[in-house]
Amino acid sequence: MSYVEPVFTVPKLRLKPKPVPASPPLPDWGKRVFDVLMAGLVITMVLSWMIPLIGIWIKLSSPGPIFYIQRRTGRRGRHFKCLKFRTMRYQVNAPFSQAIPNDPRVTSVGKFLRKTNLDEMPHFLNVLWGDMSIVGPRPHALEHDAQYWDLVPDYAVRYLIKPGITGLAQSRGYRGEANLLQMKHRLKLDQWYIKKQSPGLDVKICWWTVQKMIQGDEKAH
């Protein structure tokens, strides 16, 4: 069975339809029910106290907003506002520049949040709003999409389903600084996940992600 990829719109790019071989994804309603239940539980039990506490910590460490909002690409190429805890020094209209090792822009609080992936906890709000899923291909910055969309064959396949808070590529160590080789490896894992996704695989990916949060991710700059 194959899907016909829709025409996606990305910054300054227009794509033609391409055939995308894949197994049928899980029914949207089943995954959506799981996402809403999990997101609701995390927001109620964790974010309800985490946002005020980390918010105060961020405010004390450097001036600026608590949250960092970045436009990213979602399912079918639609853009959405991705929510994270702010980990860098605030600069109005700062140009896009990916974090690097020992990046001077990252605050002391930000280093801890990035190392433990706690900076991504507000993503659960995006899940509740329907922009993201708990598990799926990680959403890239629009600048990365514009750079790699035509450069990496079948790059757009990763957006046939909702992007995830965590994903197979991220849980297997493909995160951090992006280059052409990294993107190709990420895409292979994203494609494999789209074909093989199942509740059992989602549970495994969530467990691998929790392990990295506890151990600390060396690629989280």
Side-chain angles (χ1 to χ4, degrees), residues 106-121:
V106 178
T107 64
S108 56
V109 176
K111 289 179 181 178
F112 171 77
L113 295 177
R114 284 171 171 267
K115 197 73 174 177
T116 56
N117 291 329
L118 289 176
D119 61 317
E120 297 175 351
M121 288 296 291

Side-chain angles (χ1 to χ4, degrees), residues 5 14 19 26 60 68 73-74 105 150 155 172 195 203:
E5 183 180 321
R14 186 78 176 176
L26 292 174
L60 291 175
Y68 172 64
T73 305
R105 298 172 298 167
D150 284 332
Y155 179 89
R172 297 292 84 188
K195 294 177 183 179
V203 170

Side-chain angles (χ1 to χ4, degrees), residues 14-179:
R14 186 78 176 176
L15 301 184
K16 296 179 180 179
K18 302 175 183 178
V20 181
S23 298
L26 292 174
D28 285 348
W29 64 266
K31 192 155 190 174
R32 181 59 182 158
V33 169
F34 173 77
D35 287 342
V36 170
L37 290 177
M38 286 298 298
L41 183 64
V42 171
I43 291 169
T44 303
M45 302 298 293
V46 181
L47 287 184
S48 59
W49 57 264
M50 180 180 285
I51 288 177
L53 287 181
I54 291 184
I56 293 172
W57 196 11
I58 291 172
K59 282 288 189 181
L60 291 175
S61 68
S62 66
I66 294 171
F67 297 112
Y68 172 64
I69 301 175
Q70 185 182 48
R71 288 175 63 81
R72 298 203 176 187
T73 305
R75 187 182 184 188
R76 306 296 183 187
R78 297 186 182 93
H79 297 166
F80 69 97
K81 294 179 179 179
C82 189
L83 202 63
K84 300 177 67 175
F85 284 123
R86 179 173 62 85
T87 59
M88 292 186 176
R89 303 187 189 285
Y90 181 64
Q91 181 181 349
V92 180
N93 298 323
F96 174 77
S97 179
Q98 192 172 17
I100 60 175
N102 302 313
D103 197 314
R105 298 172 298 167
V106 178
T107 64
S108 56
V109 176
K111 289 179 181 178
F112 171 77
L113 295 177
R114 284 171 171 267
K115 197 73 174 177
T116 56
N117 291 329
L118 289 176
D119 61 317
E120 297 175 351
M121 288 296 291
H123 286 348
F124 282 98
L125 294 170
N126 285 114
V127 172
L128 192 64
W129 298 335
D131 300 320
M132 297 177 66
S133 184
I134 301 293
V135 180
R138 284 287 298 165
H140 291 159
L142 301 189
E143 291 81 359
H144 283 147
D145 285 333
Q147 181 179 358
Y148 294 107
W149 200 284
D150 284 332
L151 190 60
V152 179
D154 293 324
Y155 179 89
V157 172
R158 66 193 317 276
Y159 293 119
L160 285 175
I161 64 175
K162 286 183 183 179
I165 293 178
T166 187
L168 181 61
Q170 184 190 36
S171 66
R172 297 292 84 188
Y174 288 101
R175 62 166 296 175
E177 293 180 80
N179 55 46

